[in-house]
């Protein structure tokens, strides 16, 4: 029943800063200067997809634009980073919903690839 009030959506440019608290909680080992630079430089161009419940961010992923050359053509793609779910909401399908939405959207935009380099591959095996 709780899942009925959970919303998957992209944060607006002005709202992206709301994801920083979750970022800092989940990626506590990143230095403040790195996080400042990430939100300033990458945050200006990326998209932040979240799962929220009554305004609280439960889970997020960031889609950073990524270009590369393939067979002589410049290809637009996305690098999936800052993948995080609050511990109390893990193993409930939160990230599955975000990844499915992100990949559907990227496919619809004609992006042939999305990159993700997980800290632990086993997390994504299911």
């Amino acid at each position: 029943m709780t899942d009925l009030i959970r919303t998957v959506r992209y944060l607006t440019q002005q709202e992206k800063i709301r994801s920083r608290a979750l970022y800092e909680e989940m990626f506590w080992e990143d230095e403040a200067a790195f996080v400042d630079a990430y939100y300033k430089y990458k945050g200006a161009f990326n998209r932040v997809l979240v799962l929220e419940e009554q305004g609280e961010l439960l889970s997020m992923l960031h889609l950073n634009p990524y270009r590369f050359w393939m067979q002589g053509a410049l290809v637009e793609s996305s690098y999936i980073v800052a993948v995080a779910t609050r511990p109390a909401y893990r193993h409930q399908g939160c990230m599955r919903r975000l990844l499915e939405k992100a990949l559907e959207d990227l496919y619809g935009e004609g992006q042939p690839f999305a990159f993700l380099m997980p800290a632990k591959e086993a997390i994504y095996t299911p």
Side-chain angles (χ1 to χ4, degrees):
M1 187 72 168
T2 302
D3 199 43
L4 296 176
I5 59 173
R6 292 182 180 170
T7 306
V8 173
R9 70 180 185 92
Y10 291 96
L11 296 179
T12 66
Q13 188 65 29
Q14 295 75 25
E15 292 177 305
K16 285 181 189 179
I17 196 65
R18 290 183 52 222
S19 70
R20 185 171 176 150
L22 180 55
Y23 185 102
E24 290 175 332
E25 180 183 344
M26 297 297 105
F27 305 106
W28 53 268
E29 68 279 1
D30 288 351
E31 293 184 22
F34 172 82
V35 180
D36 290 343
Y38 175 79
Y39 272 84
K40 180 176 181 179
Y41 298 109
K42 291 296 185 181
F45 302 101
N46 73 357
R47 293 185 284 176
V48 179
L49 185 62
V50 299
L51 177 71
E52 62 185 352
E53 182 176 79
Q54 299 178 339
E56 178 187 5
L57 300 186
L58 309 181
S59 191
M60 71 174 178
L61 62 78
H62 294 212
L63 296 173
N64 290 348
Y66 187 75
R67 292 180 178 165
F68 64 96
W69 288 95
M70 184 174 75
Q71 298 180 344
L74 187 61
V75 177
E76 299 288 336
S77 184
S78 292
Y79 203 122
I80 302 171
V81 300
V83 176
T85 301
R86 292 191 188 283
Y89 298 95
R90 292 180 183 162
H91 308 290
Q92 297 178 27
C94 296
M95 188 53 60
R96 176 183 296 274
R97 287 182 61 187
L98 291 181
L99 285 168
E100 287 174 350
K101 171 70 172 151
L103 294 173
E104 282 177 15
D105 291 349
L106 295 173
Y107 179 80
E109 295 165 7
Q111 290 192 24
F113 297 98
F115 296 90
L116 170 68
M117 213 177 323
K120 294 180 183 177
E121 187 177 330
I123 294 171
Y124 298 92
T125 300

